[in-house]
């Protein structure tokens, strides 16, 4: 459950989805306006999920599979991956800096 660290208000699925596709480092809380950032721990988990999604997508290539096999792997992988990333959101009120410098 993702809550603002300032006001404690729970973020909706739509707000988390918008943040996940944003390139901005921080995003203001929709309720209090205080800047919220993704935690370093979440960014680490998110990169692992993304790596596993890519691995699963290219797995049929190693078996010389058809495009139908790629599509049957890609669609569920994208749905599960996005669902996992959005439901494991962790917010903080401090900017942890760059991912690789922490």
């Amino acid at each position: 459950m993702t809550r603002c660290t300032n006001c404690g208000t729970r973020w909706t699925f739509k707000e988390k989805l918008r943040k996940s596709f944003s390139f901005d480092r921080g995003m203001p809380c929709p309720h209090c306006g205080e800047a919220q950032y993704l935690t370093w721990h979440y960014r680490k988990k998110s990169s692992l999920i993304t790596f596993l999604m890519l691995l699963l997508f290219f797995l049929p290539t190693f078996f010389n599979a058809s495009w139908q096999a790629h599509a049957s792997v890609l669609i569920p992988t994208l749905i599960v991956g996005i669902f996992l990333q959005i439901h494991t959101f962790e917010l903080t009120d401090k900017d942890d800096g760059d991912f690789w410098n922490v």
Side-chain angles (χ1 to χ4, degrees), residues 23-69:
F23 290 113
D24 294 334
R25 196 179 279 268
M27 182 176 171
C29 172
H31 306 283
C32 69
E34 191 70 28
Q36 297 293 303
Y37 303 95
L38 296 172
T39 64
W40 180 80
H41 188 297
Y42 167 76
R43 290 184 288 169
K44 192 165 105 174
K45 276 193 296 190
S46 176
S47 64
L48 178 64
I49 291 170
T50 303
F51 174 73
L52 291 174
M53 286 171 50
L54 286 171
L55 183 67
L56 286 174
F57 175 67
F58 288 112
L59 193 61
T61 304
F62 297 118
F63 299 108
N64 202 14
S66 65
W67 68 270
Q68 292 95 345

Side-chain angles (χ1 to χ4, degrees), residues 9 14 43 59 85 101:
T9 307
K14 183 179 177 183
R43 290 184 288 169
L59 193 61
Q85 287 186 350
N101 293 336

Side-chain angles (χ1 to χ4, degrees), residues 47-101:
S47 64
L48 178 64
I49 291 170
T50 303
F51 174 73
L52 291 174
M53 286 171 50
L54 286 171
L55 183 67
L56 286 174
F57 175 67
F58 288 112
L59 193 61
T61 304
F62 297 118
F63 299 108
N64 202 14
S66 65
W67 68 270
Q68 292 95 345
H70 279 284
S72 67
V73 170
L74 174 66
I75 294 169
T77 301
L78 283 175
I79 291 170
V80 170
I82 290 171
F83 179 81
L84 280 174
Q85 287 186 350
I86 290 176
H87 286 289
T88 59
F89 253 43
E90 296 173 7
L91 295 175
T92 183
D93 57 348
K94 297 175 185 152
D95 188 8
D96 293 340
D98 293 332
F99 180 75
W100 302 110
N101 293 336

